[in-house]
Every structure is written in structure tokens, then in C-alpha cells.
Amino acid sequence: MTKEEQEIVQLISIAGESKAKAFEALKCVKTKEFDKATELIAESRNLDLAAHNIQTDLISRELNDEVESSSVGLLMVHAQDHYMTSQLARDLIETLISVLQ
């Protein structure tokens, strides 16, 4: 596995962890544990920031003519899907927390 592929897999892993934290926060809302839910959303946001940093680095290298990067493959498309889904889930759940609190 290349270094770039490892970074893409890391992006997938971090995005999955972020989404899991967001849905764990939603479970806390159901039981009215709003402080815990807010804490989990903050953890999810921090994970999304880490994923964003990996994504930005990958995109920057792809746009740099002096650095050789692989073409966009199914693995990167899969990573983008996970990352965007985790952001959407977190944003929606964060809104639900504020509405129900």
C-alpha cells in the first residue's frame, strides 16, 4: 500500500469515527443527556478537522504540478463519501441537540 493510499484509508477511518461519535451523541439526546451529547459532538468536530487536514493535503498535492500524485481512484471517492457523510450527520445532529435542549 502506498503512502497516499494509507492516508486515504486514514481519512476513511477518522470520518467513520466522527460519524460514530455524532450518532452516539444522538443516543444521548434520546435520554436527555445533553452535556454528554455536546461533548461527543465536539469530539466529532475535532475528528472532522483531522479528516479535513488529510483531505486538504491530498488535494494540494494533486494540484501541485511538481509533485506526482495518483489519479483519483475508487478508494479516494469512497473516502470523500465517508468524510462528507460524517460532516452532514454531525451538522444535523448538532442542530437536533440545540432544538431539543
Side-chain angles (χ1 to χ4, degrees):
M1 187 178 295
T2 68
K3 180 181 183 275
E4 188 174 77
E5 289 169 338
Q6 290 173 349
E7 290 171 321
I8 293 169
V9 169
Q10 185 180 15
L11 174 58
I12 293 167
S13 175
I14 292 170
E17 187 176 351
S18 171
K19 188 166 56 173
K21 295 275 184 190
F23 278 97
E24 189 177 342
L26 184 58
K27 286 180 184 177
C28 289
V29 169
K30 289 179 181 179
T31 58
K32 300 192 183 324
E33 298 174 80
F34 294 108
D35 289 340
K36 180 67 176 172
T38 302
E39 183 181 307
L40 287 162
I41 286 295
E43 290 177 29
S44 175
R45 186 173 293 284
N46 287 334
L47 287 163
D48 275 346
L49 179 60
H52 173 74
N53 290 337
I54 294 169
Q55 177 198 45
T56 300
D57 187 51
L58 289 165
I59 291 169
S60 295
R61 283 191 309 219
E62 185 174 319
L63 295 174
N64 185 345
D65 292 336
E66 297 174 12
V67 178
E68 185 178 330
S69 71
S70 63
S71 63
V72 175
L74 185 57
L75 185 61
M76 184 59 183
V77 171
H78 182 64
Q80 286 297 116
D81 181 47
H82 274 276
Y83 176 53
M84 297 308 294
T85 303
S86 73
Q87 285 185 314
L88 177 61
R90 189 207 64 241
D91 288 345
L92 286 171
I93 292 167
E94 191 170 21
T95 300
L96 278 172
I97 290 169
S98 67
V99 167
L100 296 172
Q101 197 164 21

